[in-house]
Amino acid sequence: MEMKTKPNLKYRDDGTFTIVQFADVHNGGGAPEDVRSLALMEEVLRLEKPDLVVYTGDQIRSRGPDPRAQFREVTAIAENAGIPYAFVFGNHDSRRGVTRQELMEMEAARPLCMAEAGPGHVSGTGNYTLTVLESDASAARRGIAEGDERTALTAPADSLPPPIASGEAVRRAAANLYFFDSECNAPERAVRDGRSEWISRDKAEWFAAESAALEKRHGAKLPGLAFFHIPLPEYEEVWNTRPCYGHRLAEVRCPRLNTGVFAAMVERGDVMGTFVGHDHSNDYWGELAGIRLCYGRTTGFNGNIREGHSRGARIIRLSEGKRGFDSWLRLEDGSAVYSQPEHQPGEPAMAPNAAG
């Protein structure tokens, strides 16, 4: 069967590109909680009308009779809305009855799925990069007709095309999105207190090489965002040492040993923000070394969560030609939270309230 061409991601003519992050859906396959989770996602997409949906792991619980169908039910929410989507795997997605590779192969055939298995020499499944192109309006100002998508984006970043001739009609790249399979497979000697969270060091090496190759390809260091499931150790550090905004109502279940992923991002200087899930009752963000470390808002009703902490999604909006992004929460009742409560180091964690 002939594969349909995947859509190109690009800024809108108003200069915005909007992403909805769904975190920890934990679809179990038909329970009343699952119905609520799916309805929440449908409502968020109706209200926000994003350009891309990103699922940041634990899409399913791997406990139902058909984990493939459970996974497909989650990603079909974006597909049915006509919105391209990407995902990373969490520690629950392939726990029972299915592998990451099988889920990726199933999804890769879908016309709006942007996720990729990634290079075979990097541990895990789903380490890849997506590029957001300039808007039609920006391209038109340079004399490029709508639909001219000659960008060489399909070639691997480590096998670069020849330099683009000056004046050639090519739609320019405007931002990069990095996706990591954070896995959860700490070496036995590194497991402490039963915590097996682990992000292998080869992810840092892959990212640094990919970032450098993309800079060479596009002739500039483009603004970047990164998505993965398990938080980095720096998520704990930023809460303890910097002003943060939002709630920390659960332990930060990050790797006990630091494998250098965040340091690689700081050294490369393109990533502006990272987005994770895993810790269901945390939704805070804080800035460390020029990078905003952000939790999503837990989406699924099948996972444990602190009482009073409502489910929802995190929204991320990029602006073309600008470094930085705006972000807010959209909750189950349809309300939006544009300003989260401030937390200073040393203060007790704040309980959730009606404002999110």
Side-chain angles (χ1 to χ4, degrees):
M1 184 175 66
E2 184 180 353
M3 289 286 292
K4 291 184 178 180
T5 303
K6 302 282 185 175
N8 278 316
L9 304 177
K10 58 186 176 182
Y11 280 90
R12 298 186 181 198
D13 285 345
D14 65 2
T16 65
F17 186 87
T18 303
I19 301 168
V20 164
Q21 177 196 2
F22 291 131
D24 297 271
V25 177
H26 283 281
N27 187 33
E33 293 84 358
D34 300 321
V35 175
R36 293 183 69 185
S37 302
L38 299 174
L40 185 157
M41 291 189 287
E42 289 175 339
E43 180 65 5
V44 168
L45 298 187
R46 185 188 70 81
L47 292 170
E48 295 292 347
K49 299 177 176 58
D51 303 290
L52 178 69
V53 173
V54 175
Y55 301 95
T56 51
D58 283 2
Q59 281 72 254
I60 60 175
R61 302 181 73 189
S62 287
R63 294 180 185 175
D66 190 345
R68 293 172 182 80
Q70 292 167 233
F71 201 96
R72 184 84 275 278
E73 193 173 28
V74 172
T75 58
I77 295 296
E79 185 175 87
N80 292 341
I83 302 169
Y85 64 92
F87 59 82
V88 293
F89 292 115
N91 50 299
H92 283 275
D93 288 309
S94 57
R95 179 166 287 182
R96 186 181 304 168
V98 72
T99 67
R100 280 160 147 71
Q101 293 85 352
E102 289 169 340
L103 290 171
M104 184 62 76
E105 288 173 6
M106 176 187 74
E107 287 293 333
R110 308 303 303 183
L112 293 179
C113 176
M114 310 299 290
E116 303 171 5
H121 67 275
V122 183
S123 60
T125 301
N127 303 291
Y128 60 98
T129 308
L130 298 177
T131 296
V132 182
L133 304 176
E134 66 182 341
S135 64
D136 290 337
S138 294
R141 284 193 289 270
R142 297 190 298 107
I144 298 176
E146 183 176 355
D148 188 341
E149 309 292 358
R150 288 183 287 138
T151 59
L153 294 181
T154 56
D158 57 1
S159 60
L160 300 172
I164 296 170
S166 176
E168 184 178 351
V170 173
R171 189 180 294 273
R172 291 175 177 169
N176 291 319
L177 309 176
Y178 298 95
F179 298 83
F180 296 75
D181 182 2
S182 56
E183 303 183 275
C184 197
N185 303 309
E188 186 175 347
R189 61 187 177 277
V191 175
R192 302 180 187 177
D193 304 324
R195 288 170 53 163
S196 58
E197 284 81 3
W198 186 257
I199 303 176
S200 303
R201 188 163 58 90
D202 65 347
K203 305 293 197 312
E205 297 165 355
W206 166 78
F207 163 76
E210 185 80 356
S211 173
L214 289 168
E215 180 181 4
K216 181 179 179 181
R217 169 190 288 169
H218 301 307
K221 191 170 290 188
L222 300 179
L225 302 177
F227 300 87
F228 39 97
H229 181 64
I230 290 174
L232 302 169
E234 285 78 10
Y235 273 75
E236 196 161 40
E237 178 182 348
V238 75
W239 178 265
N240 292 331
T241 63
R242 301 288 192 277
C244 288
Y245 303 87
H247 302 97
R248 181 186 182 273
L249 303 173
E251 179 185 12
V252 178
R253 299 278 299 193
C254 59
R256 288 296 193 185
L257 295 179
N258 196 319
T259 56
V261 173
F262 185 76
M265 292 178 181
V266 173
E267 287 177 348
R268 285 298 307 149
D270 55 346
V271 170
M272 308 177 296
T274 64
F275 302 87
V276 304
H278 192 50
D279 304 322
H280 297 177
S281 298
N282 295 344
D283 67 1
Y284 68 84
W285 68 269
E287 185 171 321
L288 188 66
I291 298 175
R292 287 172 63 179
L293 301 165
C294 307
Y295 273 102
R297 184 71 168 225
T298 293
T299 304
F301 290 83
N302 237 331
N304 295 327
I305 198 169
R306 177 77 169 266
E307 185 178 355
H309 193 68
S310 59
R311 273 76 170 180
R314 179 169 287 283
I315 320 301
I316 306 130
R317 177 163 291 166
L318 295 167
S319 296
E320 188 176 11
K322 297 179 181 178
R323 184 172 175 83
F325 59 90
D326 297 318
S327 186
W328 61 94
L329 305 176
R330 180 69 70 173
L331 304 183
E332 179 194 8
D333 63 3
S335 63
V337 178
Y338 296 105
S339 179
Q340 295 181 262
E342 182 176 343
H343 171 270
Q344 291 291 335
E347 293 179 347
M350 294 161 288
N353 54 39

